């Protein structure tokens, strides 16, 4: 069965709750489609107002992060139950900014993956290499390790419904998109890695996004690639351009 595309916006630390409502209202008619799942991953405080604003549309509101414990003395963190209680289905885990600035490791990402599944949340697990790693020729070794550790003890059924976002760090927020060939090559290799860990059916089912300076001009070329099942979009997700990315065909 053909994989449905998933196009997700990552708002990062942008938009106050009132700005979030305005942006959802503005984008709602522009992102209407049945061809792709459309997810806005927003700051925790924007989740409820964004959800209210998105009511009756095809937009799913997702989270940008969550903690791996159920509840308790973890000041400042958001639990999976807090997300599901308000109807969140998707959560971004292991974004490179969280790995870089908040000491996330593949091990903590794995704990979050397992906890997300326990609560019926679908993770969008990010992976991607630095420019130095690409230049040293270790891109795939590094990403395979991120995927292997991230999916430790994740079942095949859980993996099949997961989303992986391949985001070369050098392409995030820099305006430098990976070439279509580079993006397809890595997404294909990630799918092969999933086939090795699980089986061909799981690899055929899992959705793999490309992320890194995707815009309305680059989306069509990227999304037509056989192993690219949509995108994780930062900067362009805050603009009407996002409508063009979602309706890229
Ligand atoms: C991201 O935040 O995941 C991202 C890919 O950002 P940008 O599209 O701005 O590069």
């Amino acid at each position: 069965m053909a994989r449905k595309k998933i196009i997700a916006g990552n708002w990062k630390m942008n938009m106050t709750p009132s700005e979030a409502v305005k942006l959802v209202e503005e984008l709602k008619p522009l992102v209407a489609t049945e061809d792709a799942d459309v997810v806005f991953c927003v700051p925790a405080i924007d989740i409820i107002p964004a959800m209210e604003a998105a009511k009756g549309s095809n937009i799913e509101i997702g989270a940008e992060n969550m903690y791996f414990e159920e509840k308790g003395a973890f000041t400042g963190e958001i639990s999976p139950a807090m997300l599901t209680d308000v109807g969140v289905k998707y959560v971004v885990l292991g974004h490179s900014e969280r790995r870089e600035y908040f000491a996330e490791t593949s091990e903590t990402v794995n704990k979050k993956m397992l906890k997300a599944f326990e609560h019926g949340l679908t993770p969008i697990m990010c992976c991607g290499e630095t420019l130095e790693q690409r230049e040293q020729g270790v891109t795939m070794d590094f990403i395979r390790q991120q995927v292997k550790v991230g999916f430790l003890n994740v079942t095949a059924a859980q993996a099949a419904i997961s989303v992986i976002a391949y985001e070369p760090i050098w392409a995030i927020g820099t305006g430098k998109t990976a070439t279509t060939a580079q993006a397809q090559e890595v997404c294909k290799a990630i799918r092969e890695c999933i086939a090795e860990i699980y089986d061909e059916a799981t690899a055929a089912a899992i959705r793999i996004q490309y992320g890194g300076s995707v815009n309305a001009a680059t989306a069509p070329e990227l999304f037509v690639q056989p192993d690219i099942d949509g995108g994780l979009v930062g900067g362009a997700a805050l603009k009407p351009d996002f409508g063009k990315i979602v309706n890229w065909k």
Side-chain angles (χ1 to χ4, degrees):
M1 208 178 73
R3 291 180 296 272
K4 191 174 186 185
K5 296 269 189 259
I6 175 162
I7 300 169
N10 170 23
W11 286 14
K12 312 194 188 205
M13 197 175 74
N14 293 298
M15 301 290 141
T16 63
S18 46
E19 289 168 343
V21 169
K22 279 196 202 124
L23 184 60
V24 172
E25 295 290 357
E26 184 189 357
L27 293 183
K28 215 160 43 170
L30 307 180
V31 301
T33 180
E34 288 186 357
D35 291 346
D37 290 330
V38 178
V39 189
F40 289 12
C41 297
V42 306
I45 198 164
D46 293 345
I47 290 175
I48 294 173
M51 229 169 223
E52 285 293 316
K55 256 195 194 135
S57 77
N58 60 319
I59 302 169
E60 283 280 351
I61 301 298
E64 296 179 11
N65 182 35
M66 58 160 232
Y67 198 48
F68 54 73
E69 294 288 354
E70 287 293 329
K71 57 156 73 178
F74 304 103
T75 303
E77 292 294 325
I78 300 282
S79 77
M82 290 171 188
L83 298 179
T84 55
D85 187 67
V86 297
V88 168
K89 296 199 184 86
Y90 293 93
V91 58
V92 176
L93 297 178
H95 191 279
S96 60
E97 287 151 16
R98 294 217 53 89
R99 293 180 194 252
E100 185 176 353
Y101 306 128
F102 303 98
E104 291 228 352
T105 62
S106 290
E107 286 72 21
T108 57
V109 171
N110 176 242
K111 286 185 184 177
K112 292 181 177 193
M113 292 278 286
L114 296 172
K115 194 49 90 174
F117 289 120
E118 242 180 70
H119 286 264
L121 285 158
T122 299
I124 300 176
M125 195 202 85
C126 303
C127 59
E129 80 286 5
T130 62
L131 188 58
E132 296 73 53
Q133 286 166 331
R134 177 157 284 270
E135 285 170 354
Q136 284 163 10
V138 297
T139 295
M140 264 337 293
D141 291 342
F142 180 70
I143 290 172
R144 284 169 61 86
Q145 188 63 13
Q146 284 185 320
V147 171
K148 282 189 172 167
V149 177
F151 279 81
L152 214 60
N153 298 320
V154 171
T155 68
Q158 290 168 336
I161 57 164
S162 303
V163 181
I164 296 177
Y166 165 55
E167 300 205 308
I169 294 170
W170 48 271
I172 298 179
T174 57
K176 275 189 209 162
T177 318
T179 65
T180 312
Q182 284 171 328
Q184 162 58 21
E185 182 187 29
V186 178
C187 290
K188 179 170 184 270
I190 292 172
R191 202 175 299 287
E192 285 164 1
C193 180
I194 292 293
E196 271 169 43
I197 304 171
Y198 300 101
D199 48 51
E200 290 297 336
T202 308
I206 195 167
R207 292 188 288 181
I208 304 175
Q209 300 172 312
Y210 168 77
S213 299
V214 173
N215 58 40
T218 55
E221 220 187 288
L222 288 161
F223 295 173
V224 85
Q225 298 304 309
D227 289 292
I228 301 180
D229 305 315
L232 183 58
V233 182
L238 301 171
K239 303 184 217 157
D241 233 26
F242 194 57
K244 293 194 189 130
I245 295 173
V246 165
N247 289 294
W248 57 280
K249 266 192 202 158

